[in-house]
Amino acid sequence: MVFSLTPEQAMLQESASRFLGDRYDDAARRRFRAEDAGFSLDIWQEIARLGWLGSGFSEQRGGFGGGPIETMILMEAAGNALMSEPLLGSMVLPGSVLAEAGSYDDLAHLIEGKSLFAVAWDEPEQPSALEPATVAEPCGDGLAIHGEKKLVLGGQIADVLLVTAKLDGRLAILRVQSDVGGVDVRTHRTLDGGKAANVRFDSARIDRSDVLASGNEAPAVVSEMLARAIAAACAESLGAARNLHDRTLDYLKLRVQFGRRIGEFQALQHRMADMFIALEEAQSLSMMATAALEEPNGDHRDRILSAAKIGVMGRAMHIGREAIQLHGGVGMTDELPIGDGYKRIKSLSLMFGDEDFHLDRMNSLAV
Amino acid sequence: MVFSLTPEQAMLQESASRFLGDRYDDAARRRFRAEDAGFSLDIWQEIARLGWLGSGFSEQRGGFGGGPIETMILMEAAGNALMSEPLLGSMVLPGSVLAEAGSYDDLAHLIEGKSLFAVAWDEPEQPSALEPATVAEPCGDGLAIHGEKKLVLGGQIADVLLVTAKLDGRLAILRVQSDVGGVDVRTHRTLDGGKAANVRFDSARIDRSDVLASGNEAPAVVSEMLARAIAAACAESLGAARNLHDRTLDYLKLRVQFGRRIGEFQALQHRMADMFIALEEAQSLSMMATAALEEPNGDHRDRILSAAKIGVMGRAMHIGREAIQLHGGVGMTDELPIGDGYKRIKSLSLMFGDEDFHLDRMNSLAV
Amino acid sequence: MTTIWTPELRAFRDDVRAFCEENLPADIRLKVLAGVPLTRPDHMRWQDILAGKGWLVGFWPRAYGGCDWSAAETYVFQEETTSSGAPWLLPFGVNYVGPVIYTYGSTDQKAEHLPGITSNEVFWCQGYSEPNAGSDLAGLKTRAVRDGEYYIVNGTKIWTTMAHWADWIFCLVRTDAAAVPQRGISFLLIDLRTRGVTIQPIKSIEGDSHLNQVFFEDVRVPARNLVGEENKGWTYAKFLLGHERVLSAEVGKARRYLRRIKRLAARNGKNNSPRLKDRLSRFEVDLLALEQTTLRVLGAILAGEARGHEASVLKIRGSAILQQISDFAVDVLGTEALSYDPEWLRENAGMPLEEIESMGVVSEALYTRAPTIWGGSNEIQRNILAKHALGL
Amino acid sequence: MTTIWTPELRAFRDDVRAFCEENLPADIRLKVLAGVPLTRPDHMRWQDILAGKGWLVGFWPRAYGGCDWSAAETYVFQEETTSSGAPWLLPFGVNYVGPVIYTYGSTDQKAEHLPGITSNEVFWCQGYSEPNAGSDLAGLKTRAVRDGEYYIVNGTKIWTTMAHWADWIFCLVRTDAAAVPQRGISFLLIDLRTRGVTIQPIKSIEGDSHLNQVFFEDVRVPARNLVGEENKGWTYAKFLLGHERVLSAEVGKARRYLRRIKRLAARNGKNNSPRLKDRLSRFEVDLLALEQTTLRVLGAILAGEARGHEASVLKIRGSAILQQISDFAVDVLGTEALSYDPEWLRENAGMPLEEIESMGVVSEALYTRAPTIWGGSNEIQRNILAKHALGL
């Protein structure tokens, strides 16, 4: 349900927005994107120092005592700044896995920015995250991994990959150094202008102690990760949509055609009003998704998360389409960040289950 | 494909619109609706004298040499006048059945307005028109009919019912006087303010010679009837939508609020423009449906007719909803005919296969 | 992390639910579930029950007979009663004129009019719109001319919901024709039994007559029935419109409609249609968005942070969603919907649910074309958002 | 009953189809089907082939090298070539400036400029929009000042598609700053190699650079390059915009996109999804509506009954449908669409269809956000309909 922020949370929100306001503009984003990693490693170290990376984890897990709301605040701010740094891929996903699997040392390294982690879970042919085709087989004292993962967010720069695979026929989560033999990381550009990686494992060797989760624990860890990813994607999309909404509103107040500010034309006013409504509703649904993370895993939570994903993405996409249209020609240019926001939202709409996936899930869980 | 009218067809169009302009206004429609039949039997006789009832049938079948285009012209004009007289139920449906089944004497009576016919084909539980639960069993020299039909358009006043039933396990079309024993006609009001009937057959007796079609012929007759009904429903909906469109446009030019004609408000202008586009497209699709009737029965024709039904009805409903909304309060009153047009369109959208039915048919016939 | 769902609020929700289960008359509930138009006695019987419990004017201050409910409690009360199948609580006295009187009225007016509302004895209606002043209320022309201790009222009001059942009407009237349109308007209480008042029902498209036109011909209204100051009526009207719109997100009613669609679909063998399932899931998404937004607005109201335009968001979305759901119910009925007769429905209102429900669904769907028009049309609401929320 | 489908027209359709099958280079067709952005040589090669056949300017009068095609033949030609996978036929010379020159130009201008278009030797681009004159062309500020036998042009044009490949540009320039906005505009032909012209590509959101900004700094343009009369440019511009919009209902291209969606869905195992089938059927309904409306408009043009606003209907619907279909193709790709790299796509344009198609689909979907904006945005088209079709 809906909540308001504690004073600490409000402070985090303000400090994030101040930092991003200072450090992020269109030129900076362009520069960061051009770096090898597809983002700025310096900024990553700075946000580690600012405590962002630990803010979403409880103290007993090595975090700073926060939870889903803190993550939401940061993801929304990052979305609003159209930030290139992979908070989703290198903080939310691996952080959730490490926290849930109890790998607190690794989590500490992630939080301090000492190591970069990424989760390799998505596969080209397997629709379910709980049924990977990737396998880990006994090999000497340890294990050898075979398989192929796609769209590993943050994978282009990760020191450590957290890999889902079948071990003895059951799901397991494995810790793999990205530089060991048999790991082939292929970086590619992504729709939103960033980078990600496809990764092949060809007899990549790990120790038995690198099995972070198995048995009944592993599916729970993966499910929790996906739940957090959905809420984070909602928050980030909302932030990006707010950026597009605000820029469009500014443009309507600035641009003059036919001797009037175009914001005086009633047809555009009504469309802007509908964008405003969409933004308000997306905000509500994003908060609902975050609040749902506090509930026990189960059908009810899955249904709420699916509804939030469908609803936030549909509304954010509406705002994205209208932002381009109401900007006219300049909305189509790479120079303005309208397209960047649009592409980021479109990307998030396809990740962690697209509309089809979540509609199917809602239908199957209908009460 | 698209066509233009012959001089004779243009004349029919003009004469129909002149007759309806003279004889039909809101008060007249209200008066006619209040009659026992739910429409004016006098008007029916007049349009028979004007030759309307024979205009859609070829000369060799006792008609006046016209075809689907003439029917389209009349249905569109009737829709535009929100006419109460059951052209669909008492002309298109039975006329098509009589013409296809070769009952030219009956057809002549229909055309001259001497007898009123109605087709009893729809059943409460049977989804397919080709598989009625109504049966005709041998009984003495003749047959006895058992079964139940719903929504018999024109059935409230018909002298003769054309009834689909199973005879020896196969579809047949039977000719039944509505006043014989065992026929129970229950008139009811319809959503559009008119009337129709539910009919029960409880051992209703007919002669063997009253079997109008059987064997392979009967399904072809019913299919042809439904095809013509779909095209006619498209044309009538288009006419009704044009009425609502035109009245709304007039209202926008007349109504003053905030010191301006409301048609000067750009948000309403753009919505009116979208209504105009919808009307143009509905017109195109209605003509496409009519043209399709000239093609041989088959998958291609069915697919085109389904597309036309979905497309015309969707657009006409859009116009109907907007007509009420843009009229504001007065659009909700029974005094203005906006609601009548809306309800007629909604009714036609549900008849002869609703959107679900036609989407399913299109999907199954997809190329 | 705080939420509006305090333990107290949850307890209150359970109380309301239990109260409805015990006290809502079965025949009224049946009509509501079936979508059958209610009669005046139906409304009054249920409101008497609420008045007996002290809940009819629950959100009013205790000083005037209320329970001092917070915005959250008011919301919960509305949602729970609606969801349980209780009638729409007529807002004209309780939500509209009552708060205007206890906020702006004189001591005498409070004493004269508030008890009749709290006890459900006086039936009020609202005289705002006129034939040439619909969206543009400032253009209203009904005149009230001061004549000693009286105002002489001439003019007409339209779309006055349930005026034919009402005892009193509160009106916006023009008291200064020379002033600019929004000035010169006053807020007047008029006894409908006064000579010169004529009420003419307007039949609407579903075939029922809940709307009316009210004519005033030299109607003498005691000057003491003027609320607040002369020519300041616009202020009180705006205050009231804000009250009206907060109520417009009827999530409970929409959920009730969705439950009915599932029931109808099961009856028609459509409940396994993937298309139907998608549609229901999408409605559920929209309702969650509306519900969560309503809760956020309530949170803002409780925190004193509401900016005022939020009500327009709820009005636009609430009315549109309800309209889509009720129209979709007709589609689920299919050709069954075509057998529709509002007179028959009125005469057979007491029949079992299955026998009348399909007509009720149609009646409701037609009637539900109105919420996007009334209470300030959605076009007006978008103007409000553009101006007040967006600064355009 | 008459239709535009005369036996002659059907025969022509078959001719065009057969010609494309035989003569459209396979590598170009592959790029088009994959959605890969084309290069200048790609366009020129195909247009050379059409020019060789005499079909590049088929709708032009025979006197100027055309085939005197009717509107119906022109339509059939466009639909058949597009549907077969031929590149978009660049309209700037053939459809835009050519007809202006042969309708309003001098004998010398016809002799100088038309042959270069019919033979596909001169590449034209269009200089209409300016940074502050987008929807409001009358607000344009690029000035042309007469100086003896020259105009001195200063200012800038934006969104000039393919200017970076072009030889010449036709421009609207202001020749009388004192006149009311729509007067005082002239239509000028400018050689892009003239000193003082700078072309700066604009990267658009799909990552390609088909758009440009063109700067003019003291550019000396021979006065003989003025088309028609000075200050009458608005007339020629309106004539041209009419031509532009008739082409905007690209049903053939939309059908090609739908075929691709079916192919992609089959590859991704989604082709039996009821949701996908519904979506495709609905698109088919929309396309039939658009196609039939286009044919009706053509019929009206042939009969001399077109009122002019019909082009706006086709532009609004054609652009919207194409946009929805191309966006839906990305949804069918799913996460596959996320691996997108416009540079890689340009460098690997020759690879097999399956390897590059997913990126081509994304590129095309992003690029297709533009058709609702260009050529008079759909908002402007609605203004036109409200005014000219509806009299509002």
Side-chain angles (χ1 to χ4, degrees), chain B residues 112-244:
Chain B
E112 291 161 30
K114 279 192 188 159
S115 303
L116 282 155
F117 293 79
V119 185
W121 65 276
D122 206 358
E123 298 196 358
E125 305 289 338
Q126 294 300 100
S128 165
L130 303 180
E131 302 289 343
T134 299
V135 291
E137 291 166 350
C139 177
D141 285 349
L143 299 166
I145 310 174
H146 301 267
E148 199 171 345
K149 299 286 180 177
K150 68 168 187 184
L151 201 69
V152 181
L153 304 174
Q156 73 277 14
I157 190 75
D159 306 301
V160 182
L161 297 167
L162 308 176
V163 183
T164 57
K166 281 288 177 80
L167 174 61
D168 302 331
R170 300 186 67 186
L171 184 68
I173 301 173
L174 315 172
R175 186 187 189 289
V176 186
Q177 295 288 340
S178 63
D179 58 0
V180 302
V183 176
D184 180 18
V185 176
R186 291 185 203 180
T187 300
H188 61 80
R189 280 266 167 218
T190 48
L191 169 57
D192 57 12
K195 286 184 176 173
N198 295 324
V199 184
R200 276 186 66 90
F201 299 96
D202 191 7
S203 264
R205 301 284 298 271
I206 58 170
D207 293 338
R208 285 267 174 191
S209 63
D210 289 321
V211 179
L212 299 188
S214 59
N216 290 332
E217 196 197 9
V221 171
V222 171
S223 296
E224 185 64 25
M225 175 193 80
L226 291 175
R228 285 175 184 261
I230 288 169
C234 286
E236 189 181 346
S237 298
L238 167 65
R242 188 181 304 285
N243 178 312
L244 299 188

Side-chain angles (χ1 to χ4, degrees), chain C residues 69-368:
Chain C
W69 284 345
S70 68
E73 284 164 319
T74 309
Y75 168 77
V76 161
F77 175 76
Q78 173 184 291
E79 288 303 300
E80 283 305 318
T81 51
T82 313
S83 178
S84 74
W88 180 48
L89 207 148
L90 299 177
F92 312 108
V94 172
N95 295 87
Y96 300 169
V97 75
V100 169
I101 291 174
Y102 67 65
T103 308
Y104 299 103
S106 67
T107 312
D108 284 353
Q109 284 170 341
K110 291 177 190 172
E112 181 180 355
H113 294 292
L114 297 183
I117 298 174
T118 56
S119 66
N120 196 38
E121 282 166 293
V122 179
F123 197 124
W124 283 85
C125 65
Q126 165 178 296
Y128 270 29
S129 296
E130 297 183 5
N132 288 309
S135 294
D136 178 18
L137 274 185
L140 54 87
K141 293 198 160 44
T142 295
R143 274 172 306 113
V145 178
R146 187 68 180 252
D147 177 22
E149 285 310 292
Y150 287 87
Y151 284 100
I152 314 296
V153 178
N154 277 287
T156 180
K157 293 289 177 183
I158 200 166
W159 320 132
T160 39
T161 308
M162 296 171 183
H164 59 307
W165 291 344
D167 305 305
W168 280 72
I169 187 170
F170 56 95
C171 281
L172 290 182
V173 293
R174 190 162 293 288
T175 38
D176 181 353
V180 292
Q182 292 187 16
R183 306 279 174 83
I185 288 173
S186 297
F187 194 102
L188 205 56
L189 312 177
I190 304 178
D191 187 335
L192 286 169
R193 288 162 309 183
T194 318
R195 177 201 296 266
V197 176
T198 319
I199 295 170
Q200 186 179 299
I202 298 171
K203 196 166 159 190
S204 50
I205 61 173
E206 85 282 7
D208 223 310
S209 302
H210 283 320
L211 302 172
N212 300 272
Q213 185 163 4
V214 183
F215 297 89
F216 301 91
E217 203 185 331
D218 291 331
V219 176
R220 293 178 70 82
V221 180
R224 63 180 159 83
N225 288 356
L226 175 79
V227 176
E229 293 179 50
E230 200 179 75
N231 298 333
K232 291 274 176 71
W234 194 250
T235 311
Y236 318 137
K238 278 201 305 192
F239 167 83
L240 185 157
L241 281 176
H243 264 265
E244 186 172 11
R245 275 184 225 125
V246 140
L247 303 170
S248 53
E250 302 177 284
V251 178
K253 190 196 265 190
R255 287 243 165 76
R256 209 179 67 209
Y257 283 9
L258 283 187
R259 286 196 297 271
R260 179 163 61 194
I261 288 176
K262 286 177 199 164
R263 206 166 61 228
L264 295 172
R267 206 178 72 190
N268 292 6
K270 292 183 181 175
N271 50 335
N272 281 320
S273 145
R275 217 173 273 136
L276 180 102
K277 288 181 179 174
D278 277 5
R279 197 74 194 271
L280 292 175
S281 288
R282 287 182 190 279
F283 280 135
E284 183 60 29
V285 171
D286 285 346
L287 281 179
L288 284 167
L290 181 63
E291 184 175 38
Q292 296 297 317
T293 305
T294 305
L295 294 172
R296 277 178 57 222
V297 171
L298 286 171
I301 291 172
L302 295 177
E305 292 163 0
R307 290 174 51 201
H309 62 249
E310 295 87 348
S312 294
V313 173
L314 302 181
K315 158 69 162 82
I316 291 173
R317 291 299 295 153
S319 58
I321 293 170
L322 205 65
Q323 202 167 68
Q324 288 161 18
I325 293 177
S326 53
D327 196 39
F328 181 60
V330 178
D331 293 335
V332 172
L333 284 176
T335 50
E336 207 184 326
L338 297 181
S339 172
Y340 178 68
D341 187 342
E343 266 177 62
W344 185 95
L345 183 59
R346 269 193 300 276
E347 286 159 13
N348 294 276
M351 291 180 71
L353 194 61
E354 311 79 57
E355 313 244 334
I356 52 173
E357 189 169 36
S358 74
M359 285 204 198
V361 164
V362 174
S363 173
E364 219 161 54
L366 292 172
Y367 185 66
T368 308

Side-chain angles (χ1 to χ4, degrees), chain A residues 295-347:
Chain A
E295 292 183 31
N297 199 342
D299 285 356
H300 177 70
R301 189 172 92 159
D302 282 349
R303 193 155 166 274
I304 291 289
L305 287 169
S306 284
K309 183 81 174 16
I310 294 168
V312 171
M313 293 303 163
R315 284 157 178 81
M317 281 303 299
H318 169 78
I319 291 169
R321 286 189 297 266
E322 289 288 86
I324 295 177
Q325 182 69 25
L326 297 188
H327 271 83
V330 293
M332 281 297 292
T333 64
D334 194 53
E335 199 184 329
L336 279 202
I338 304 296
D340 280 347
Y342 176 83
K343 288 182 276 188
R344 183 65 187 154
I345 293 168
K346 184 85 198 177
S347 301

Side-chain angles (χ1 to χ4, degrees), chain C residues 16-90:
Chain C
V16 175
R17 198 176 290 176
F19 181 82
C20 290
E21 249 168 59
E22 273 174 47
N23 296 286
L24 175 60
D27 60 322
I28 295 181
R29 182 168 179 273
L30 170 74
K31 280 187 173 184
V32 170
L33 292 187
V36 175
L38 301 181
T39 62
R40 189 184 199 277
D42 292 332
H43 282 289
M44 294 309 270
R45 192 146 50 100
W46 170 238
Q47 294 191 171
D48 281 345
I49 293 168
L50 290 177
K53 173 77 177 172
W55 279 357
L56 183 60
V57 298
F59 74 95
W60 288 20
R62 285 194 195 283
Y64 303 116
C67 309
D68 249 339
W69 284 345
S70 68
E73 284 164 319
T74 309
Y75 168 77
V76 161
F77 175 76
Q78 173 184 291
E79 288 303 300
E80 283 305 318
T81 51
T82 313
S83 178
S84 74
W88 180 48
L89 207 148
L90 299 177

Side-chain angles (χ1 to χ4, degrees), chain A residues 3-4 270 274 284 355 363, chain C residues 2 278 281-282 293 382-383:
Chain A
F3 46 81
S4 51
H270 281 204
D274 283 334
S284 305
E355 190 176 89
N363 292 350
Chain C
T2 63
D278 277 5
S281 288
R282 287 182 190 279
T293 305
R382 286 192 174 85
N383 287 347

